[in-house]
Amino acid sequence: MQILLAGAVVLPLVGALAALLPAPPGLKGKNPDQAVLRHGVTVTAVVLAASLALAAGFDRGHPARMQATTDISWIPALGIRIHLGVDGISLPLLVLTALLTFLCALYSYFKMPTGPSPKAFVALLLVLESGTLATFAVLDLMLFFLAFEMVLIPMYFLIARWGGAQKQAAAWKFILYTLLGSVVMLLGLLLIGLKSGTFDMVALATDNGPKAQLSHTVQLIAVLAVGIGLAVKSPLWPLHSWLPDAHTAAPTVGSVLLAGVLLKMGTYGFVRIALPITPEGMHTLAPYLAALAAVGIIYGSLACLALVRKGAKGDLKRLIAYSSVGHMGFVLLGIASMTPTGVNGALFANIAHGLITGLLFFLVGALKDRCGSTDIDTLAGATGAALYGRAPRFGGLLAFGAVASLGLPGLAGFWGEMLAMFGAFRPAAGLSRPAFLTFMALAGLGTLLTAAYLLLVVRRVCMGGTLAAGTAPAADTAAPRPAAPVIPDLARYEYAAWSPLAALTVLAGLWPAALLGLTNPAVQQLLGGGK
């Protein structure tokens, strides 16, 4: 188990170095580009297999205990250790990261984004995977920070070199926002480590451990500093403005990984660091975090409604990006409730968002390849997509992703948001219940607005432009319309890359206990001070 976890984290780095080397003569295939893309698929497949083996060997009878642990002294003078481990909170995120990266590599093998050499693309993809897996596996505050920062450079280059319009500006905005937030977060982590005498996250999470050295004032300053860095990555309104630009400009696989796993790093940090290590400071700031999360839910939904309306020239990819602001608002609301119900809902919503929004970004990227545009008015015009008639399987899958995203009962998107609102309905002792009831009501309104804009997307893109009921063009006066474009339906490689996401969305919706059974004991222990 130790080897599986360490191997899953380190193997992508080794694969990234190998991707930059010339391919051996027997493995070149038709051309070197195909060889390096096949290399990316192979490495990510091995990492996924290691993650699944780790999940299969995980002791489900004790999900609150750290398993597959490695603890080696690294910098003794500073007390920094190479400390790895997984519990019921981090294991689902590890598997989700490995799955999405493999699907992105598989998709890119058949549909490589336009840009420079595939060698650099595959190497960056693997470095990104290693940094994300390390973020969910490390148990030392300094290692967490290093892993947290490790993903920035590869994502910057994926956007700047393989992105679309305005890619340079979007890439700079992404890295400046996240770097500035990370600088503040580092100060908070250092404050915790220096005041407590350790950077070990497991020791700090226990009530009778080094955390006892942290006064209320220190906890408040630390959680504020750490929270700013985590809130930028989450993203929390109003620190979200980098997200729509980054998603709109990023290549398809960049958007999938950005939404599917990178946003989860911020919310995971709140659960793993802020809640157990600085509970008093978190308790003071929880109402403000919940208020901003509720505003983000409403703001994201209204922004999407503005983009989808007729004549707004809204971009479908940008709309899905703004929807992430609302969905992650539910995650942060659940965390701010500081209750087992709310935190379990937040962790479930994390996984559901990764599956559903990852699928939606795959679909929107493929739609742009087919139609040459993601402008909603263009896709809804008389010669637009009209997917139900021209590519029924593609249209059906897009409609499935939309109804899953709006939280239809029976699909994964329902449980996380419902549990997060239940957590806000009865927040932790000492938190203002009237305030949290107000936030819950705003979140409930957000679910209605989410349903409104996603159903409008389905109507406009899947049904296309239609005449008003009871009317028809006059044969002798109607101007001839240009021929509608031919839209290919789902290809085999698209079935292979997208079917697992759709299947897991249904499975998580019908059998939520599979995930909640892992997270709940770990959350109970985490909120109970290690007891």
Side-chain angles (χ1 to χ4, degrees):
M1 292 287 281
Q2 291 174 321
I3 294 172
L4 285 173
L5 180 58
V9 173
V10 175
L11 182 60
L13 283 180
V14 178
L17 291 174
L20 299 175
L21 300 175
L27 299 177
K28 285 186 177 180
K30 295 179 181 178
N31 58 67
D33 289 350
Q34 185 190 51
V36 75
L37 290 171
R38 189 191 302 116
H39 169 79
V41 175
T42 303
V43 173
T44 54
V46 173
V47 173
L48 175 59
S51 301
L52 293 175
L54 189 67
F58 188 80
D59 183 2
R60 286 171 175 76
H62 301 88
R65 188 182 72 230
M66 285 295 171
Q67 302 180 34
T69 55
T70 299
D71 192 0
I72 304 170
S73 179
W74 184 34
I75 308 177
L78 299 177
I80 299 175
R81 309 181 66 81
I82 299 177
H83 192 183
L84 306 177
V86 291
D87 63 357
I89 293 172
S90 53
L91 181 64
L93 291 166
L94 277 168
V95 176
L96 175 68
T97 300
L99 174 64
L100 284 176
T101 310
F102 167 69
L103 297 180
C104 285
L106 180 64
Y107 183 80
S108 299
Y109 179 77
F110 295 96
K111 195 69 178 179
M112 172 68 192
T114 303
S117 165
K119 280 190 173 186
F121 176 83
V122 171
L124 291 169
L125 192 68
L126 292 174
V127 172
L128 183 68
E129 179 180 33
S130 179
T132 310
L133 290 171
T135 301
F136 299 135
V138 297
L139 298 172
D140 183 278
L141 290 177
M142 287 297 99
L143 282 185
F144 176 85
F145 176 77
L146 293 176
F148 198 85
E149 297 303 290
M150 183 177 168
V151 304
L152 299 185
I153 299 302
M155 182 53 73
Y156 167 82
F157 282 109
L158 285 175
I159 297 172
R161 303 296 296 276
W162 286 271
Q166 305 295 321
K167 58 187 179 183
Q168 293 291 343
W172 274 110
K173 194 171 184 179
F174 161 75
I175 200 164
L176 287 176
Y177 264 75
T178 49
L179 277 178
L180 288 174
S182 297
V183 169
V184 181
M185 182 176 75
L186 176 61
L187 297 177
L189 296 176
L190 289 172
L191 178 63
I192 293 172
L194 294 175
K195 288 293 184 179
S196 65
T198 182
F199 291 103
D200 188 273
M201 293 159 70
V202 176
L204 285 165
T206 58
D207 282 344
N208 57 354
K211 181 172 65 176
Q213 304 297 320
L214 302 177
S215 67
H216 177 77
T217 302
V218 170
Q219 288 193 34
L220 186 60
I221 296 172
V223 77
L224 183 60
V226 173
I228 289 174
L230 298 174
V232 171
K233 188 67 72 73
S234 292
L236 176 69
W237 181 94
L239 303 175
H240 70 284
S241 61
W242 61 270
L243 181 71
D245 292 337
H247 270 308
T248 305
T252 297
V253 295
S255 294
V256 171
L257 292 175
L258 184 58
V261 292
L262 263 68
L263 302 188
K264 313 302 176 288
M265 293 165 61
T267 53
Y268 173 78
F270 276 108
V271 175
R272 181 65 75 194
I273 298 173
L275 283 176
I277 298 177
T278 56
E280 294 179 21
M282 186 66 184
H283 193 277
T284 301
L285 294 180
Y288 304 99
L289 177 62
L292 293 176
V295 172
I297 293 171
I298 298 297
Y299 171 83
S301 300
L302 292 177
C304 291
L305 279 172
L307 289 171
V308 78
R309 77 179 194 277
K310 188 175 182 180
K313 293 294 180 183
D315 185 279
L316 185 55
K317 202 173 183 184
R318 196 174 187 86
L319 182 145
I320 302 301
Y322 270 112
S323 76
S324 292
V325 177
H327 289 307
M328 298 310 290
F330 282 97
V331 176
L332 293 166
L333 178 62
I335 293 170
S337 72
M338 299 186 70
T339 62
T341 301
V343 176
N344 275 303
L347 294 171
F348 198 103
N350 257 346
I351 301 299
H353 179 264
L355 295 172
I356 297 167
T357 307
L359 175 61
L360 286 173
F361 274 119
F362 268 134
L363 289 163
V364 173
L367 189 60
K368 184 174 183 178
D369 292 335
R370 285 163 164 80
C371 300
S373 173
T374 51
D375 180 83
I376 298 175
D377 286 338
T378 301
L379 295 173
T383 59
L387 292 175
Y388 284 160
R390 296 174 188 166
R393 294 179 182 85
F394 193 106
L397 193 55
L398 179 61
F400 169 82
V403 297
S405 185
L406 64 84
L408 185 73
L411 298 176
F414 171 74
W415 296 105
E417 295 181 0
M418 182 193 71
L419 290 173
M421 287 193 287
F422 277 177
F425 179 74
R426 198 174 296 278
L431 296 177
S432 171
R433 194 178 181 210
F436 272 82
L437 287 175
T438 303
F439 305 146
M440 184 197 71
L442 290 173
L445 175 60
T447 61
L448 298 178
L449 297 175
T450 300
Y453 71 74
L454 285 171
L455 291 176
L456 283 172
V457 166
V458 171
R459 178 183 175 186
R460 300 196 69 201
V461 176
C462 294
M463 299 180 183
T466 56
L467 294 170
T471 66
D476 56 345
T477 60
R481 292 179 177 176
V486 175
I487 300 178
D489 215 332
L490 294 179
R492 289 183 179 178
Y493 72 91
E494 291 172 333
Y495 275 116
W498 304 343
S499 295
L501 299 179
L504 288 172
T505 298
V506 175
L507 180 63
L510 296 178
W511 189 27
L515 183 55
L516 293 173
L518 286 175
T519 62
N520 186 52
V523 168
Q524 295 279 0
Q525 179 172 301
L526 180 140
L527 293 177
K531 299 175 184 177

